[in-house]
Amino acid sequence: MKPKPLVAIVGRPNVGKSTLFNRIAGRRIAIVEETPGITRDRIYADCEWQGKPFTLIDTGGLQTESDNLARRVRDQAQLAIEEADAILFTVDSKEGLSGLDYEIAEMLRRTGKPVLLVASKVESRGRLEGAQEFFALALGEPIAVSAMHGIDVDVLLDRLGELLPQLSEAPEDEDAIHIAVAGRPNVGKSSLVNALVGEERAIVAEEPGTTRDSLDTRYTWDGHDVVLIDTAGIRRKSKVRLSFEYYAVLRAFSAIDRCDVALLLIDGTQGVVDQDQRIGGYADEQGRAQVVVVNKWDLVQRAAAEQKEEEKLAPAENRQLMRDFARQARGQLVFMQYAPVVFISALERWGLDDLMRTAVDAADQHSMRAATPELNRVLREAVQARPLNIKGKPLRLYYATQPRVRPPTFVLFVNDPELAHFSYQRYLENRIRKHFGLEGTPVRLVLRESKGEETPRGRRRK
């Protein structure tokens, strides 16, 4: 589970960077205008080419003007270059070489990073010949493309794909359980990592945003090899103002992409907020196992005791307080009802064994593979117990199989997939969860149409 490589598109203003970004991303994300300087901030998209994933970053145009906006755009583009694993240097074949192209080329050479020179706006053979002048930049053969019409963008991606396998940032470690500690700034992520490994691996400070990158820490817990990934706090998009914060958020989401289990760290003194829902929703969409971790519970207990004018809460009162909090949290995280809720104090270092036991169990369930005969028996009993009939047409389940794990994914062959509405699919999912004990992991159901009863070997019985 390597981090996705970052690929930055850079160049001077109005050379077609955003058009190229949209073409590669496969959808219109960046604003495309003829006016130079429209793209002021970096925009990113997760992409894939021939099975090789990467994150593509669009940047504002590099300029020599000295006004404040131009300097900020240049700073952000330079940061993109520093963070990127490969660079697509885009030049304009219509306008030809400029002095700024030479300056940018020299700057890119100093980075020592792989650079592909992209001659954009090449819509005709005449311009293809004109693109040869860009050899003068000494960055290799220019790749002539028309992003607007999609001409030879696949050639560019093939060349990029040749670079991507060399860009991994960490060795594969398939036997270890990768656990990402994710959450908003200042909820105690680094404190939790330090408490778990028993030493100061991550910088801990009262100031939010101390961690600016994802940090991997390998250690052993109860005989299990674990890789803890401490991530930067994920702020709301409107709050991401400084340049480094943009990449901190990007790396945090990348950490979730490559983990087995995401620990959604909640500040117990504040409860679940919108940003917690966003982070949990992203991990759910990515199919990651999750544990809701309520941190700073010592402060919650102390505040509740003071409200009752008691020195400390009785155990029964504390258990009731936990039940109330968990019920409220589940009500706000309705899309991840499968995630267990654990209460800890990273500062006082209690609740940690319960947390790790829960996370390891979630990882096991995330990779659970059901026996095919047992799966079919459970689903057939579920359909018999609650048959579905829409306008006189019954839902018939012929056969089910599990093609994938992480998360467990089940394919159901039925007579008409349209009959099984969302609530009925949720019913089937709950029956699977109850029988196989799938807690902590999302479950995917895929319904496919079949004309007859599927058999394990793929033949049909009429």
Side-chain angles (χ1 to χ4, degrees):
M1 290 176 290
K2 302 183 180 72
K4 291 179 184 176
L6 298 181
V7 179
I9 303 176
V10 302
R12 56 189 174 85
N14 209 31
V15 295
K17 297 185 300 298
S18 295
T19 304
L20 179 61
F21 175 88
N22 289 337
R23 173 64 65 175
I24 296 175
R27 55 198 186 278
R28 189 180 176 91
I29 296 176
I31 299 172
V32 179
E33 296 281 354
E34 289 300 318
T35 307
I38 288 294
T39 304
R40 297 180 179 180
D41 299 316
R42 295 162 311 285
I43 303 173
Y44 71 92
D46 289 330
C47 305
E48 185 174 311
W49 183 251
Q50 295 183 347
K52 298 170 184 175
F54 60 95
T55 298
L56 187 67
I57 306 168
D58 188 19
T59 66
L62 290 165
Q63 306 178 60
T64 56
E65 286 84 350
S66 59
D67 64 273
N68 186 53
L69 177 59
R71 282 197 301 271
R72 285 196 290 120
V73 170
R74 188 180 184 92
D75 288 345
Q76 293 198 7
Q78 287 176 328
L79 184 62
I81 293 169
E82 292 172 10
E83 291 286 329
D85 298 297
I87 299 163
L88 303 181
F89 176 26
T90 309
V91 292
D92 190 333
S93 66
K94 287 184 178 180
E95 295 185 4
L97 271 171
S98 74
L100 186 53
D101 289 330
Y102 283 104
E103 291 182 31
I104 297 172
E106 178 58 30
M107 178 178 65
L108 295 179
R109 267 194 297 274
R110 289 197 298 268
T111 68
K113 296 185 176 182
V115 178
L116 294 179
L117 180 59
V118 185
S120 70
K121 306 181 185 179
V122 179
E123 283 89 19
S124 68
R125 182 160 297 278
R127 287 196 183 134
L128 177 62
E129 295 172 355
Q132 303 306 305
E133 67 176 306
F134 293 105
F135 272 105
L137 295 174
L139 288 173
E141 181 181 3
I143 305 171
V145 304
S146 170
M148 181 174 294
H149 301 291
I151 299 173
D152 286 341
V153 174
D154 57 338
V155 175
L156 168 62
L157 291 172
D158 285 341
R159 290 279 303 278
L160 178 62
E162 294 172 1
L163 301 176
L164 294 184
Q166 305 171 17
L167 301 177
S168 62
E169 298 177 10
E172 291 282 3
D173 192 355
E174 293 298 335
D175 294 332
I177 301 172
H178 289 68
I179 300 176
V181 183
R184 298 181 290 116
N186 212 32
V187 295
K189 295 181 297 299
S190 296
S191 295
L192 175 57
V193 171
N194 290 337
L196 287 171
V197 301
E199 57 184 278
E200 291 291 324
R201 290 292 185 91
I203 299 171
V204 179
E206 289 297 323
E207 179 185 355
T210 305
T211 302
R212 299 184 182 180
D213 207 344
S214 298
L215 307 174
D216 288 11
T217 301
R218 286 171 166 79
Y219 82 115
T220 301
W221 180 85
D222 195 27
H224 297 277
D225 291 329
V226 175
V227 176
L228 279 177
I229 310 170
D230 182 20
T231 67
I234 302 176
R235 300 175 184 271
R236 293 200 311 271
K237 188 174 181 180
S238 61
K239 297 293 185 181
V240 178
R241 303 189 184 281
L242 301 177
S243 296
F244 71 80
E245 290 180 332
Y246 178 90
Y247 283 98
V249 172
L250 185 57
R251 294 290 189 185
F253 279 123
S254 178
I256 293 174
D257 290 344
R258 62 189 176 94
C259 77
D260 297 303
V261 182
L263 304 183
L264 177 58
L265 205 60
I266 305 293
D267 187 332
T269 64
Q270 299 179 12
V272 177
V273 300
D274 290 345
Q275 187 65 355
D276 298 325
Q277 294 173 327
R278 179 190 173 207
I279 298 167
Y282 180 83
D284 178 74
E285 290 172 359
Q286 298 304 110
R288 301 298 174 248
Q290 291 197 75
V291 178
V292 178
V293 185
V294 184
N295 191 25
K296 306 182 184 180
W297 195 248
D298 54 314
L299 300 181
V300 176
Q301 289 177 314
R302 193 173 304 136
E306 290 175 357
Q307 191 174 12
K308 291 177 175 288
E309 298 183 349
E310 299 174 357
E311 184 176 345
K312 60 183 296 188
L313 289 181
E317 292 176 318
N318 182 49
R319 287 194 295 270
Q320 184 60 49
L321 190 62
M322 287 180 173
R323 284 194 292 267
D324 292 342
F325 190 101
R327 187 183 310 110
Q328 183 178 5
R330 290 185 186 281
Q332 294 172 283
L333 300 169
V334 292
F335 50 87
M336 46 185 288
Q337 294 292 308
Y338 55 82
V341 181
V342 178
F343 297 84
I344 68 164
S345 170
L347 183 63
E348 297 188 356
R349 302 197 174 195
W350 57 256
L352 303 185
D353 280 341
D354 185 30
L355 167 60
M356 287 305 301
R357 190 178 305 109
T358 304
V360 169
D361 288 344
D364 288 341
Q365 298 304 315
H366 194 229
S367 58
M368 190 280 301
R369 187 173 293 279
T372 301
E374 188 177 5
L375 173 65
N376 280 270
R377 179 179 60 79
V378 169
L379 286 171
R380 286 197 175 104
E381 289 176 354
V383 173
Q384 290 170 3
R386 184 177 164 184
L388 181 64
N389 193 304
I390 305 295
K391 295 182 179 180
K393 186 176 183 179
L395 175 71
R396 301 187 189 281
L397 172 65
Y398 298 127
Y399 185 72
T401 186
Q402 184 186 355
R404 292 189 299 276
V405 296
R406 297 180 182 176
T409 301
F410 304 97
V411 178
L412 282 58
F413 295 94
V414 299
N415 59 327
D416 186 354
E418 296 297 325
L419 293 175
H421 47 74
F422 172 79
S423 61
Y424 196 79
Q425 290 187 43
R426 178 57 57 87
Y427 160 72
L428 295 177
E429 176 187 325
N430 288 338
R431 290 292 292 259
I432 293 173
R433 285 186 180 280
K434 183 177 180 180
H435 181 83
F436 293 103
L438 292 174
E439 185 180 26
T441 177
V443 168
R444 303 289 190 249
L445 292 187
V446 180
L447 273 66
R448 291 182 181 169
E449 184 177 4
S450 176
K451 301 301 182 183
E453 186 175 358
E454 294 283 344
T455 72
R457 294 183 180 179
R459 297 191 299 268
R460 294 180 180 137
R461 294 196 296 266
K462 300 295 184 181

